Coordinates of all heavy atoms in Angstrom, one line a residue:
M1 N 16.9 -11.0 -8.2 CA 16.9 -10.1 -7.0 C 15.5 -9.4 -6.9 O 15.0 -8.9 -7.8 CB 18.0 -9.0 -7.3 CG 18.1 -8.0 -6.2 SD 19.3 -6.7 -6.6 CE 20.6 -7.3 -5.5
K2 N 15.1 -9.4 -5.6 CA 13.8 -8.8 -5.4 C 13.9 -7.2 -5.3 O 14.9 -6.7 -4.7 CB 13.2 -9.3 -4.0 CG 12.8 -10.7 -4.1 CD 12.2 -11.0 -2.8 CE 11.7 -12.5 -2.7 NZ 11.1 -12.8 -1.4
A3 N 13.0 -6.5 -5.8 CA 12.9 -5.1 -5.7 C 12.3 -4.7 -4.4 O 11.3 -5.3 -4.0 CB 12.2 -4.5 -6.9
K4 N 12.9 -3.8 -3.6 CA 12.4 -3.4 -2.3 C 11.4 -2.3 -2.6 O 11.6 -1.4 -3.3 CB 13.5 -2.9 -1.4 CG 14.3 -4.0 -0.9 CD 15.1 -3.6 0.3 CE 15.8 -4.7 0.9 NZ 16.5 -4.4 2.2
L5 N 10.2 -2.4 -1.9 CA 9.2 -1.4 -2.0 C 9.3 -0.5 -0.8 O 9.6 -0.9 0.3 CB 7.8 -2.1 -2.0 CG 7.4 -2.9 -3.2 CD1 6.1 -3.6 -3.0 CD2 7.4 -2.1 -4.4
D6 N 9.0 0.8 -1.0 CA 8.9 1.7 0.1 C 7.5 1.6 0.6 O 6.6 1.0 0.0 CB 9.4 3.1 -0.3 CG 8.5 3.7 -1.3 OD1 7.8 3.0 -2.0 OD2 8.6 5.0 -1.5
E7 N 7.3 2.3 1.8 CA 6.0 2.2 2.4 C 4.9 2.9 1.5 O 3.8 2.3 1.4 CB 6.1 3.0 3.8 CG 5.0 2.7 4.7 CD 5.0 1.3 5.3 OE1 6.0 0.5 5.1 OE2 4.1 0.9 6.0
A8 N 5.2 4.0 0.9 CA 4.2 4.6 0.1 C 3.8 3.8 -1.1 O 2.6 3.6 -1.4 CB 4.7 6.0 -0.5
S9 N 4.7 3.1 -1.8 CA 4.4 2.2 -2.9 C 3.5 1.0 -2.4 O 2.6 0.6 -3.1 CB 5.6 1.7 -3.5 OG 6.4 2.7 -4.1
S10 N 3.9 0.5 -1.2 CA 3.1 -0.6 -0.6 C 1.7 -0.3 -0.4 O 0.8 -1.0 -0.7 CB 3.7 -1.0 0.7 OG 5.1 -1.4 0.5
Y11 N 1.4 0.9 0.1 CA 0.0 1.4 0.3 C -0.7 1.6 -1.0 O -1.9 1.3 -1.1 CB 0.0 2.6 1.2 CG 0.0 2.3 2.7 CD1 1.2 2.3 3.4 CD2 -1.2 2.0 3.4 CE1 1.2 2.0 4.7 CE2 -1.1 1.7 4.7 CZ 0.1 1.7 5.4 OH 0.1 1.4 6.7
E12 N 0.0 2.1 -2.0 CA -0.7 2.4 -3.3 C -1.1 1.0 -3.9 O -2.1 0.9 -4.5 CB 0.3 3.1 -4.2 CG 0.4 4.6 -3.9 CD -1.0 5.3 -4.0 OE1 -1.7 5.0 -5.0 OE2 -1.3 6.1 -3.2
I13 N -0.2 0.0 -3.8 CA -0.5 -1.3 -4.4 C -1.7 -1.9 -3.6 O -2.6 -2.4 -4.2 CB 0.7 -2.2 -4.3 CG1 1.8 -1.7 -5.3 CG2 0.3 -3.7 -4.6 CD1 3.1 -2.4 -5.1
L14 N -1.7 -1.8 -2.3 CA -2.9 -2.3 -1.5 C -4.2 -1.6 -1.9 O -5.2 -2.3 -2.1 CB -2.6 -2.1 0.0 CG -3.8 -2.5 0.9 CD1 -3.9 -4.0 1.0 CD2 -3.6 -1.9 2.3
R15 N -4.2 -0.3 -2.1 CA -5.4 0.4 -2.4 C -5.9 0.0 -3.8 O -7.0 -0.1 -4.0 CB -5.1 1.9 -2.4 CG -5.0 2.5 -1.1 CD -4.9 4.1 -1.2 NE -4.3 4.5 0.0 CZ -3.0 4.9 0.2 NH1 -2.2 5.0 -0.9 NH2 -2.5 5.3 1.3
T16 N -4.9 -0.2 -4.8 CA -5.3 -0.6 -6.1 C -6.0 -1.9 -6.1 O -7.0 -2.1 -6.8 CB -4.0 -0.6 -7.0 OG1 -3.4 0.7 -7.0 CG2 -4.4 -1.0 -8.4
F17 N -5.5 -2.9 -5.4 CA -6.1 -4.2 -5.3 C -7.4 -4.2 -4.5 O -8.3 -4.9 -4.8 CB -5.1 -5.3 -4.8 CG -4.1 -5.7 -5.8 CD1 -2.8 -5.3 -5.7 CD2 -4.5 -6.6 -6.8 CE1 -1.9 -5.7 -6.7 CE2 -3.6 -7.0 -7.7 CZ -2.3 -6.5 -7.7
R18 N -7.4 -3.5 -3.4 CA -8.6 -3.5 -2.5 C -9.7 -2.7 -3.1 O -10.9 -3.2 -3.0 CB -8.2 -2.9 -1.2 CG -9.3 -3.0 -0.2 CD -8.9 -2.8 1.2 NE -10.0 -3.0 2.1 CZ -10.1 -2.7 3.3 NH1 -9.1 -2.0 3.9 NH2 -11.1 -2.9 4.1
W19 N -9.5 -1.6 -3.7 CA -10.5 -0.7 -4.2 C -10.1 -0.3 -5.7 O -9.6 0.8 -5.9 CB -10.7 0.5 -3.4 CG -11.1 0.3 -2.0 CD1 -12.1 -0.4 -1.5 CD2 -10.4 0.7 -0.8 NE1 -12.2 -0.5 -0.2 CE2 -11.1 0.2 0.3 CE3 -9.2 1.5 -0.6 CZ2 -10.7 0.5 1.6 CZ3 -8.8 1.7 0.7 CH2 -9.6 1.2 1.8
P20 N -10.4 -1.2 -6.7 CA -10.0 -0.9 -8.0 C -10.6 0.4 -8.6 O -10.0 1.1 -9.4 CB -10.3 -2.1 -8.8 CG -11.1 -3.0 -7.9 CD -11.0 -2.5 -6.5
K21 N -11.9 0.7 -8.2 CA -12.6 1.8 -8.8 C -12.6 3.0 -7.8 O -12.3 4.1 -8.1 CB -14.0 1.4 -9.2 CG -14.0 0.5 -10.4 CD -15.3 0.2 -10.9 CE -15.3 -0.8 -12.0 NZ -16.6 -1.1 -12.5
W22 N -13.2 2.7 -6.6 CA -13.3 3.8 -5.6 C -13.3 3.1 -4.2 O -13.5 2.0 -4.1 CB -14.6 4.6 -5.8 CG -15.8 3.8 -6.0 CD1 -16.5 3.0 -5.1 CD2 -16.4 3.5 -7.3 NE1 -17.5 2.3 -5.7 CE2 -17.5 2.6 -7.0 CE3 -16.2 3.9 -8.6 CZ2 -18.4 2.1 -8.0 CZ3 -17.1 3.4 -9.5 CH2 -18.1 2.6 -9.2
V23 N -13.0 4.0 -3.2 CA -13.0 3.5 -1.9 C -14.4 3.2 -1.4 O -15.3 3.9 -1.6 CB -12.3 4.5 -0.9 CG1 -12.3 4.0 0.5 CG2 -10.9 4.8 -1.4
I24 N -14.5 2.0 -0.7 CA -15.8 1.6 -0.2 C -15.7 1.4 1.3 O -14.7 0.8 1.8 CB -16.3 0.2 -0.9 CG1 -16.4 0.4 -2.4 CG2 -17.6 -0.3 -0.2 CD1 -16.6 -0.8 -3.1
C25 N -16.7 1.9 2.1 CA -16.7 1.7 3.5 C -16.8 0.3 3.9 O -17.7 -0.4 3.4 CB -17.8 2.5 4.1 SG -18.0 2.3 5.9
P26 N -15.9 -0.3 4.7 CA -16.0 -1.7 5.1 C -17.1 -1.9 6.1 O -17.5 -3.1 6.3 CB -14.6 -1.9 5.7 CG -14.2 -0.6 6.2 CD -14.7 0.4 5.3
H27 N -17.7 -0.9 6.7 CA -18.8 -1.0 7.7 C -20.1 -1.1 7.1 O -20.9 -2.0 7.4 CB -18.7 0.1 8.7 CG -17.4 0.3 9.3 ND1 -16.8 -0.7 10.2 CD2 -16.4 1.2 9.2 CE1 -15.6 -0.3 10.6 NE2 -15.4 0.9 10.0
C28 N -20.4 -0.2 6.1 CA -21.8 -0.1 5.5 C -21.7 -0.3 4.0 O -22.8 -0.3 3.3 CB -22.5 1.2 5.9 SG -21.8 2.7 5.1
E29 N -20.5 -0.4 3.4 CA -20.3 -0.6 2.0 C -20.8 0.5 1.1 O -21.2 0.4 0.0 CB -21.0 -2.0 1.5 CG -20.3 -3.1 2.2 CD -20.9 -4.5 1.7 OE1 -21.8 -4.5 0.9 OE2 -20.4 -5.5 2.2
H30 N -20.8 1.7 1.7 CA -21.2 2.9 1.0 C -20.0 3.4 0.2 O -18.9 3.3 0.6 CB -21.7 4.0 2.0 CG -22.6 5.0 1.4 ND1 -22.2 6.2 0.9 CD2 -24.0 5.0 1.2 CE1 -23.2 6.9 0.4 NE2 -24.3 6.1 0.6
T31 N -20.3 4.1 -0.9 CA -19.2 4.6 -1.7 C -18.9 6.1 -1.5 O -17.9 6.6 -2.1 CB -19.5 4.4 -3.2 OG1 -20.7 5.0 -3.6 CG2 -19.5 2.9 -3.5
R32 N -19.7 6.8 -0.8 CA -19.4 8.2 -0.5 C -18.5 8.3 0.7 O -18.9 8.2 1.8 CB -20.7 9.0 -0.3 CG -21.4 9.2 -1.6 CD -22.5 10.2 -1.5 NE -21.9 11.5 -1.2 CZ -22.6 12.4 -0.5 NH1 -23.9 12.3 -0.3 NH2 -22.1 13.6 -0.2
V33 N -17.2 8.4 0.4 CA -16.1 8.4 1.5 C -15.2 9.6 1.2 O -14.9 9.9 0.1 CB -15.3 7.1 1.4 CG1 -14.2 7.1 2.3 CG2 -16.3 5.9 1.6
N34 N -14.9 10.3 2.3 CA -13.9 11.4 2.3 C -12.6 11.0 2.9 O -12.6 10.2 3.9 CB -14.5 12.6 3.0 CG -15.7 13.2 2.4 OD1 -15.9 13.2 1.2 ND2 -16.6 13.8 3.2
T35 N -11.5 11.6 2.4 CA -10.2 11.3 3.0 C -10.2 12.1 4.3 O -10.6 13.3 4.3 CB -9.1 11.7 2.1 OG1 -9.2 11.0 0.9 CG2 -7.7 11.4 2.7
H36 N -9.7 11.5 5.4 CA -9.8 12.1 6.7 C -8.4 12.1 7.4 O -8.2 12.1 8.6 CB -10.8 11.3 7.6 CG -11.2 12.0 8.8 ND1 -11.7 13.2 8.9 CD2 -11.1 11.5 10.1 CE1 -12.0 13.5 10.2 NE2 -11.6 12.5 10.9
T37 N -7.3 12.1 6.5 CA -6.0 12.0 7.0 C -5.5 13.4 7.5 O -5.8 14.4 6.9 CB -5.0 11.5 5.9 OG1 -5.5 10.3 5.4 CG2 -3.6 11.3 6.4
K38 N -4.8 13.4 8.6 CA -4.3 14.7 9.2 C -3.1 15.2 8.5 O -2.9 16.3 8.4 CB -4.1 14.5 10.7 CG -5.4 14.3 11.5 CD -5.2 14.3 12.9 CE -6.5 14.1 13.7 NZ -6.3 14.1 15.1
S39 N -2.2 14.2 8.1 CA -0.9 14.6 7.6 C -0.8 14.1 6.1 O -1.0 12.9 5.9 CB 0.2 14.1 8.4 OG 1.5 14.3 7.8
A40 N -0.4 15.0 5.3 CA -0.2 14.6 3.9 C 1.2 13.9 3.7 O 1.5 13.4 2.6 CB -0.3 15.8 3.0
L41 N 2.0 13.9 4.7 CA 3.4 13.3 4.6 C 3.4 11.8 4.8 O 4.3 11.2 4.4 CB 4.3 14.0 5.7 CG 4.4 15.5 5.5 CD1 5.3 16.0 6.7 CD2 5.0 15.9 4.2
T42 N 2.3 11.3 5.4 CA 2.3 9.8 5.6 C 1.6 9.1 4.5 O 0.6 9.6 3.9 CB 1.6 9.5 7.0 OG1 1.6 8.1 7.2 CG2 0.2 10.1 7.0
P43 N 2.0 7.9 4.1 CA 1.3 7.2 3.1 C 0.0 6.5 3.6 O -0.8 6.1 2.8 CB 2.3 6.1 2.7 CG 3.2 5.9 3.9 CD 3.3 7.2 4.6
R44 N -0.1 6.4 4.9 CA -1.3 5.9 5.5 C -2.5 6.9 5.3 O -2.3 8.1 5.4 CB -1.2 5.6 7.0 CG -0.1 4.6 7.2 CD 0.1 4.4 8.7 NE 1.2 3.5 9.0 CZ 1.5 3.2 10.2 NH1 0.9 3.7 11.2 NH2 2.5 2.3 10.4
R45 N -3.7 6.3 5.0 CA -4.8 7.2 4.9 C -5.9 6.8 5.8 O -6.1 5.6 6.0 CB -5.3 7.1 3.4 CG -4.3 7.7 2.5 CD -5.0 8.5 1.4 NE -4.0 9.0 0.5 CZ -3.8 8.6 -0.8 NH1 -4.6 7.7 -1.2 NH2 -2.9 9.2 -1.5
R46 N -6.6 7.7 6.3 CA -7.8 7.5 7.1 C -9.0 8.1 6.3 O -8.9 9.1 5.7 CB -7.7 8.1 8.5 CG -8.9 7.9 9.4 CD -8.7 8.3 10.8 NE -7.8 7.4 11.5 CZ -8.2 6.2 12.0 NH1 -9.5 5.8 11.9 NH2 -7.4 5.4 12.6
Y47 N -10.1 7.4 6.3 CA -11.3 7.8 5.6 C -12.5 8.0 6.5 O -12.5 7.4 7.6 CB -11.6 6.7 4.5 CG -10.5 6.4 3.6 CD1 -9.7 5.3 3.8 CD2 -10.2 7.2 2.5 CE1 -8.6 5.0 3.0 CE2 -9.2 6.9 1.6 CZ -8.4 5.8 1.9 OH -7.3 5.5 1.1
L48 N -13.4 8.8 6.1 CA -14.6 9.1 6.8 C -15.8 8.8 5.9 O -15.9 9.3 4.8 CB -14.7 10.5 7.3 CG -16.0 10.9 8.0 CD1 -16.2 10.2 9.3 CD2 -16.0 12.4 8.2
C49 N -16.6 7.8 6.3 CA -17.8 7.5 5.5 C -18.9 8.5 5.7 O -19.2 8.8 6.8 CB -18.3 6.1 5.9 SG -19.8 5.6 5.0
V50 N -19.4 9.0 4.6 CA -20.5 10.1 4.7 C -21.8 9.4 5.2 O -22.6 10.1 5.9 CB -20.7 10.7 3.3 CG1 -21.8 11.7 3.3 CG2 -19.4 11.4 2.9
N51 N -22.0 8.2 4.9 CA -23.3 7.5 5.3 C -23.3 7.1 6.8 O -24.2 7.6 7.5 CB -23.4 6.2 4.4 CG -24.8 5.6 4.6 OD1 -25.8 6.3 4.6 ND2 -24.8 4.3 4.9
C52 N -22.4 6.3 7.3 CA -22.4 5.9 8.7 C -21.5 6.7 9.6 O -21.6 6.5 10.8 CB -22.0 4.4 8.7 SG -20.3 4.0 8.4
R53 N -20.8 7.6 9.0 CA -19.9 8.5 9.8 C -18.8 7.8 10.6 O -18.3 8.4 11.6 CB -20.7 9.4 10.8 CG -21.9 10.2 10.2 CD -21.4 11.2 9.2 NE -20.6 12.2 9.8 CZ -19.9 13.1 9.2 NH1 -19.9 13.1 7.9 NH2 -19.2 14.0 9.8
R54 N -18.5 6.6 10.2 CA -17.4 5.9 10.9 C -16.1 6.1 10.1 O -16.1 6.3 8.9 CB -17.7 4.4 11.0 CG -18.9 4.2 11.9 CD -19.3 2.7 11.9 NE -18.3 1.9 12.7 CZ -18.4 0.6 12.9 NH1 -19.4 0.0 12.4 NH2 -17.4 0.0 13.5
T55 N -15.0 6.0 10.8 CA -13.7 6.2 10.1 C -13.1 4.8 10.0 O -13.4 3.9 10.7 CB -12.7 7.1 10.9 OG1 -12.5 6.5 12.2 CG2 -13.3 8.5 11.1
F56 N -12.2 4.7 9.0 CA -11.5 3.5 8.7 C -10.2 3.8 8.0 O -10.0 4.9 7.5 CB -12.3 2.5 7.9 CG -12.8 2.9 6.6 CD1 -12.1 2.6 5.4 CD2 -13.9 3.7 6.5 CE1 -12.5 3.1 4.2 CE2 -14.4 4.2 5.3 CZ -13.7 3.8 4.1
T57 N -9.3 2.8 7.9 CA -8.0 3.0 7.2 C -7.9 2.1 6.1 O -8.8 1.3 5.8 CB -6.8 2.8 8.2 OG1 -6.8 1.4 8.5 CG2 -6.9 3.6 9.4
D58 N -6.8 2.2 5.4 CA -6.5 1.2 4.3 C -6.5 -0.2 4.8 O -6.7 -1.1 4.0 CB -5.2 1.6 3.6 CG -5.2 2.9 3.0 OD1 -6.2 3.3 2.3 OD2 -4.2 3.7 3.1
L59 N -6.1 -0.4 6.0 CA -5.9 -1.8 6.5 C -7.1 -2.3 7.3 O -7.1 -3.5 7.6 CB -4.7 -1.7 7.5 CG -3.3 -1.2 6.9 CD1 -2.3 -1.3 8.0 CD2 -2.9 -2.0 5.7
T60 N -8.1 -1.6 7.5 CA -9.3 -2.0 8.2 C -9.9 -3.2 7.5 O -10.2 -3.1 6.3 CB -10.3 -0.9 8.4 OG1 -9.7 0.2 9.1 CG2 -11.6 -1.4 9.1
G61 N -10.2 -4.3 8.2 CA -10.8 -5.4 7.6 C -9.9 -6.3 6.8 O -10.3 -7.2 6.1
T62 N -8.6 -6.1 6.9 CA -7.6 -6.9 6.2 C -6.8 -7.7 7.2 O -6.8 -7.4 8.4 CB -6.7 -6.1 5.3 OG1 -5.8 -5.3 6.2 CG2 -7.4 -5.1 4.4
P63 N -6.1 -8.7 6.7 CA -5.2 -9.4 7.6 C -4.1 -8.6 8.2 O -3.4 -8.9 9.2 CB -4.6 -10.5 6.8 CG -5.5 -10.7 5.6 CD -6.1 -9.4 5.4
F64 N -3.8 -7.4 7.6 CA -2.7 -6.5 8.0 C -3.2 -5.6 9.2 O -2.4 -4.9 9.8 CB -2.3 -5.6 6.9 CG -1.9 -6.4 5.6 CD1 -2.7 -6.2 4.5 CD2 -0.9 -7.4 5.6 CE1 -2.4 -6.9 3.3 CE2 -0.6 -8.1 4.5 CZ -1.4 -7.8 3.3
A65 N -4.5 -5.5 9.4 CA -5.0 -4.7 10.5 C -4.5 -5.1 11.8 O -4.5 -6.3 12.2 CB -6.5 -4.7 10.5
G66 N -4.1 -4.2 12.6 CA -3.7 -4.4 14.0 C -2.2 -4.9 14.1 O -1.8 -5.3 15.2
T67 N -1.5 -5.0 13.0 CA -0.1 -5.5 13.1 C 0.8 -4.3 13.4 O 0.5 -3.1 13.0 CB 0.3 -6.2 11.8 OG1 1.6 -6.7 12.0 CG2 0.2 -5.3 10.6
N68 N 1.9 -4.6 14.0 CA 2.9 -3.5 14.2 C 4.0 -3.5 13.1 O 4.8 -2.6 13.1 CB 3.6 -3.8 15.6 CG 2.6 -3.5 16.7 OD1 1.7 -2.7 16.6 ND2 2.8 -4.2 17.8
L69 N 4.0 -4.5 12.2 CA 5.0 -4.5 11.2 C 4.6 -3.5 10.1 O 3.4 -3.3 9.8 CB 5.0 -5.9 10.5 CG 5.6 -7.0 11.3 CD1 5.4 -8.3 10.6 CD2 7.1 -6.7 11.6
P70 N 5.6 -2.8 9.5 CA 5.3 -2.0 8.4 C 4.7 -2.8 7.2 O 5.1 -4.0 7.0 CB 6.7 -1.4 8.0 CG 7.5 -1.6 9.2 CD 7.0 -2.8 9.9
L71 N 3.9 -2.2 6.4 CA 3.2 -2.9 5.3 C 4.2 -3.4 4.3 O 4.1 -4.5 3.7 CB 2.2 -1.9 4.6 CG 1.3 -2.6 3.6 CD1 0.5 -3.7 4.2 CD2 0.4 -1.5 3.0
R72 N 5.3 -2.7 4.1 CA 6.3 -3.1 3.1 C 7.0 -4.4 3.5 O 7.5 -5.2 2.7 CB 7.4 -2.0 2.9 CG 8.2 -1.7 4.1 CD 9.2 -0.6 3.8 NE 9.7 0.0 5.0 CZ 10.6 -0.6 5.8 NH1 11.1 -1.8 5.5 NH2 11.0 -0.1 6.9
I73 N 7.0 -4.8 4.8 CA 7.6 -6.0 5.3 C 6.7 -7.2 4.9 O 7.2 -8.3 4.5 CB 7.7 -6.0 6.8 CG1 8.6 -4.9 7.3 CG2 8.2 -7.4 7.4 CD1 10.1 -5.1 7.0
W74 N 5.4 -7.0 4.9 CA 4.5 -8.1 4.5 C 4.7 -8.4 3.0 O 4.6 -9.5 2.5 CB 3.0 -7.7 4.7 CG 2.7 -7.7 6.1 CD1 2.7 -6.7 7.0 CD2 2.2 -8.8 6.9 NE1 2.3 -7.0 8.3 CE2 2.0 -8.4 8.2 CE3 1.9 -10.1 6.6 CZ2 1.5 -9.2 9.2 CZ3 1.4 -10.9 7.6 CH2 1.2 -10.5 8.9

């Protein structure tokens, strides 16, 4: 029987595999990144790169970017 993951667990697993040590900007590959999420209630995170000043999410640059399906479905 498969264990069902909730959305928060799905995002934590994605972050762990994508950024094992620290979050890296997908635009300039800089490591100085701030969390830029408006709500602490959502498992989704938005980040702001201190170097290039661009924002990105956990899904930016992944095959999951731009999909309407919840991450736990994937």
Side-chain angles (χ1 to χ4, degrees):
M1 176 182 259
K2 291 184 181 179
K4 287 195 173 188
L5 293 174
D6 62 343
E7 198 72 5
S9 297
S10 300
Y11 275 95
E12 283 301 318
I13 291 168
L14 176 72
R15 285 184 205 106
T16 302
F17 280 105
R18 186 168 185 193
W19 301 303
K21 293 184 180 180
W22 48 74
V23 178
I24 299 172
C25 176
H27 306 292
C28 70
E29 298 182 357
H30 204 267
T31 57
R32 289 196 56 207
V33 174
N34 294 328
T35 304
H36 192 59
T37 305
K38 292 183 179 183
S39 173
L41 301 176
T42 180
R44 299 177 183 181
R45 294 218 180 110
R46 180 168 287 280
Y47 305 96
L48 174 66
C49 177
V50 174
N51 187 49
C52 69
R53 306 296 296 168
R54 293 177 73 179
T55 62
F56 59 96
T57 67
D58 296 318
L59 303 180
T60 301
T62 68
F64 311 117
T67 183
N68 290 331
L69 289 175
L71 188 58
R72 63 182 166 75
I73 300 287
W74 285 93

